[in-house]
Amino acid sequence: MKLNIVTERGNREVGVLQGISGTTTISQLKSTLFDIKNKSSKFNVNRIKLSTGDRKSLEDSKCVNDYQLKENDTLLYKDLGPQIGWSTVFVAEYAGPLLLYPVFYYFAPIIYGLDRPKHSIQTVALICYSLHYLKRILETIFIHRFSHGTMPLRNLFKNCSYYWGCTIMVSYFVNHPLFTAPSQTKQLIGLTLWAVGEISNFICHYQLMNLRPPGTTERRIPRGFLFELLSCPNYTVEILAWLGFSIMTQTLTAFVFTLMGAAQMWVWAVGKHRRYRKDFPNYPKSRKILIPFLL
Amino acid sequence: MGVVSKAYLVLYNAVQTIGWAYILMKLALHHKDGYNPNGVWDLIGKEVILFQGAAVLEIVHSLIGIVKTPVATTFVQVFSRVACVFLATIVPTTQNYWSLTLMLFCWSITEVIRYSFYALSIVNMVPYFLGWLRYTTFYILYPMGVLGETSTILASIPFVTENKVLTYSMPNFLNVSFDFAFFLKFSLIFYVVGLPWLYMHMISQRKRFIATGGNTKATPTSQTKKEN
């Protein structure tokens, strides 16, 4: 069969795809489009969004029959702009904190013009902060299986400014020579929360990895451990870890960073929770979003 | 848009037009015998605080959706202006400085044109000439205004540093400090980045204005929300 491709904005003709069958996948359609456009980088498979009248993106793994496309139907094309791999973005955004945080710890005399012996909790904070991002990088490389291949290039700049900027904001104050340490009890509570949060976070990520068979983008209902109570426990425990870090350093900017992170994770979690409920009719009704038994 | 919000917006924009026209008039009369930055703030400071302060309402307009402009855009515009007014209020060294006069001249001319344009566009009565002014004067007034604002900020820094204005230092129990002088220097970066970006935006707005023959309903930022 034959399919027409026009631009989503302006209905200008992009091309005509010939020899399509009902079992042709959307991703094959995209490669065909890439070919007939002489493999122009603007038509890189990852940059293309195809949709029907409702402008909802067609999924790569589905095929022509799934969307009941017929002879001479028209698909809408949109250029999503330059794309970049998820793992690249993740590694870049986490490498910043890993490199920037220690600068304030080790070069304090130059930065603050003051040289004071470090408080032990400042050293502990350096280790915690670095371990967190080291863990994130290793997870990105070895654990995470991404359901989307790429994201728009501008996200790289957006995400990096967020993580790098926040690291400077937190590290500047935690490593300040005039830093006031909180009581030992608070330090201990904070550190415990942090450790419990990070370990549970790793367990959640490990569970999510095992959920998705290697090389696929298949989705299933997560089971076991905290997933029995929550849709996104990985976020809950990450927020817990940052709360712990903030308590043990008692630094305002760390609390602010925790709060901003929590707000963003809440938005993501609500979205994910809705998708689980929509995609799986048997999704456990009692599962909450981020806070056990409550929300 | 309902009748009430329409009437309210016309009133709001009319009041602002009158307010800024009054400021412009006083400012011009002050300079009738030539350039004289002395006493400018004493003369019109109160009026500027009142009418620029009232512009905070524009964030509210955007929030409740009676105007189409995005909240973030309005917030940035109003915030930078209010910050400059705040600075002039608390830092005496800026009050008789040349840049404050320049800044206030640019603001008042721009605002008289902008607010009268808004007021008239709600009732579909904008004369072409007013639209043309709105989309042309920025060529000069915008860079001049930025020069005035940035120079005022720069002029305030020595006073702020010396008197530790709004400066909070460590050690304290929340391990936080605030250095207003640093904040002011940092804010200058946004002017440098923002100027070319907003200038290009205004140029494209102007192109659209000229292309549509002054049909203001085709210019999105000044357009008020229509009922669906």
Side-chain angles (χ1 to χ4, degrees):
Chain A
M1 78 169 93
K2 188 183 106 187
L3 289 171
N4 303 306
I5 313 282
V6 299
T7 55
E8 194 178 295
R9 284 174 74 181
N11 275 331
R12 275 172 287 112
E13 193 188 317
V14 180
V16 178
L17 304 182
Q18 306 273 11
I20 309 294
S21 79
T23 52
T24 311
T25 62
I26 301 302
S27 106
Q28 282 167 328
L29 288 186
K30 290 180 180 175
S31 332
T32 316
L33 188 62
F34 183 51
D35 288 336
I36 63 168
K37 284 294 179 182
N38 299 321
K39 303 197 194 289
S40 144
S41 68
K42 266 197 82 170
F43 290 89
N44 182 301
V45 184
N46 287 319
R47 275 177 73 155
I48 300 177
K49 176 195 154 196
L50 289 179
S51 60
T52 50
D54 62 0
R55 304 201 167 178
K56 273 179 78 179
S57 180
L58 303 183
E59 284 175 50
D60 280 347
S61 57
K62 298 234 167 112
C63 64
V64 169
N65 275 344
D66 292 332
Y67 292 106
Q68 283 133 30
L69 298 175
K70 296 180 301 290
E71 173 73 22
N72 232 355
D73 267 356
T74 301
L75 289 179
L76 303 177
Y77 157 86
K78 191 181 174 199
D79 179 11
L80 297 172
Q83 297 288 302
I84 185 166
W86 275 72
S87 337
T88 318
V89 175
F90 273 41
V91 171
E93 67 189 31
Y94 298 146
L98 206 51
L99 297 171
L100 284 174
Y101 191 96
V103 170
F104 293 90
Y105 182 90
Y106 287 107
F107 299 100
I110 302 167
I111 294 168
Y112 307 98
L114 255 175
D115 196 8
R116 297 267 175 93
K118 284 271 173 281
H119 191 281
S120 58
I121 197 68
Q122 288 175 301
T123 311
V124 173
L126 169 77
I127 296 168
C128 290
Y129 203 92
S130 307
L131 275 179
H132 173 79
Y133 284 102
L134 194 65
K135 165 178 162 294
R136 295 296 294 135
I137 289 183
L138 292 175
E139 283 176 341
T140 302
I141 299 171
F142 298 109
I143 307 277
H144 290 327
R145 288 179 184 151
F146 298 103
S147 50
H148 297 89
T150 63
M151 61 165 100
L153 182 62
R154 63 172 180 279
N155 282 18
L156 178 71
F157 302 106
K158 211 175 67 186
N159 293 13
C160 284
S161 358
Y162 176 74
Y163 278 101
W164 298 27
C166 284
T167 298
I168 293 172
M169 205 177 77
V170 172
S171 184
Y172 176 86
F173 292 109
V174 176
N175 293 305
H176 203 288
L178 300 175
F179 174 83
T180 311
S183 68
Q184 279 215 324
T185 327
K186 282 183 190 165
Q187 293 178 26
L188 216 66
I189 293 172
L191 186 61
T192 315
L193 261 180
W194 179 84
V196 170
E198 293 288 337
I199 293 167
S200 320
N201 182 256
F202 176 77
I203 297 173
C204 291
H205 286 154
Y206 191 76
Q207 285 176 296
L208 286 173
M209 172 186 86
N210 286 333
L211 204 61
R212 180 174 289 166
T216 70
T217 55
E218 193 189 317
R219 298 174 66 235
R220 294 184 203 154
I221 302 178
R223 303 252 178 225
F225 189 46
L226 296 169
F227 282 104
E228 291 305 320
L229 298 172
L230 299 166
S231 287
C232 296
N234 48 324
Y235 293 150
T236 307
V237 293
E238 174 150 2
I239 296 168
L240 225 55
W242 282 113
L243 191 66
F245 182 89
S246 308
I247 291 172
M248 85 184 171
T249 55
Q250 198 164 308
T251 300
L252 186 67
T253 50
F255 280 107
V256 171
F257 178 56
T258 306
L259 206 65
M260 290 194 297
Q264 177 63 71
M265 285 186 248
W266 169 254
V267 174
W268 286 334
V270 169
K272 191 148 192 191
H273 184 71
R274 287 213 184 112
R275 256 175 290 134
Y276 276 139
R277 287 196 151 182
K278 195 173 138 254
D279 294 350
F280 304 108
N282 58 336
Y283 194 72
K285 289 241 171 339
S286 59
R287 271 194 212 183
K288 300 293 176 189
I289 304 171
L290 272 190
I291 307 169
F293 312 113
L294 286 176
L295 269 174
Chain B
M1 187 169 46
V3 179
V4 178
S5 46
K6 217 169 178 170
Y8 164 75
L9 280 179
V10 173
L11 182 72
Y12 170 79
N13 287 301
V15 169
Q16 284 282 21
T17 310
I18 295 166
W20 285 101
Y22 178 69
I23 293 169
L24 178 60
M25 188 192 71
K26 278 185 108 173
L27 199 57
L29 285 176
H30 181 75
H31 288 83
K32 66 177 189 300
D33 301 322
Y35 167 68
N36 174 22
N38 288 321
V40 164
W41 189 252
D42 285 340
L43 182 74
I44 52 170
K46 285 202 176 66
E47 288 86 341
V48 171
I49 292 172
L50 178 67
F51 290 102
Q52 189 53 58
V56 172
L57 282 172
E58 282 162 46
I59 301 172
V60 181
H61 299 166
S62 197
L63 269 173
I64 59 177
I66 53 173
V67 296
K68 239 187 173 180
T69 326
V71 180
T73 315
T74 316
F75 182 81
V76 172
Q77 283 167 349
V78 175
F79 180 80
S80 63
R81 287 281 195 92
V82 170
C84 285
V85 172
F86 178 69
L87 208 57
T89 315
I90 58 166
V91 182
T93 51
T94 62
Q95 294 175 355
N96 297 319
Y97 199 60
W98 63 269
S99 63
L100 188 86
T101 303
L102 176 67
M103 177 181 105
L104 292 177
F105 256 120
C106 292
W107 285 10
S108 49
I109 299 171
T110 309
E111 297 301 49
V112 169
I113 298 170
R114 194 168 69 98
Y115 284 121
S116 54
F117 175 87
Y118 285 161
L120 293 173
S121 76
I122 296 167
V123 287
N124 282 324
M125 282 169 52
V126 189
Y128 181 81
F129 183 63
L130 184 60
W132 183 86
L133 278 179
R134 157 126 177 85
Y135 291 107
T136 306
T137 49
F138 77 89
Y139 273 123
I140 296 166
L141 289 178
Y142 184 53
M144 284 298 172
V146 168
L147 178 69
E149 289 176 35
T150 48
S151 306
T152 304
I153 293 172
L154 272 174
S156 72
I157 291 173
F159 181 89
V160 168
T161 312
E162 202 174 312
N163 295 282
K164 294 198 186 315
V165 179
L166 289 184
T167 296
Y168 183 60
S169 19
M170 285 170 79
N172 53 60
F173 82 109
L174 266 179
N175 289 310
V176 69
S177 65
F178 183 71
D179 186 343
F180 192 41
F182 175 80
F183 174 82
L184 289 173
K185 287 176 205 161
F186 197 74
S187 71
L188 292 175
I189 298 174
F190 290 95
Y191 279 98
V192 175
V193 179
L195 178 92
W197 184 79
L198 210 69
Y199 207 63
M200 296 312 282
H201 174 71
M202 289 299 288
I203 290 173
S204 72
Q205 292 269 76
R206 179 187 156 77
K207 275 192 189 136
R208 192 183 298 205
F209 174 80
I210 301 292
T212 56
N215 174 13
T216 54
K217 288 292 169 197
T219 51
T221 49
S222 63
Q223 192 179 357
T224 40
K225 218 172 216 173
K226 286 189 212 133
E227 242 163 5
N228 289 320

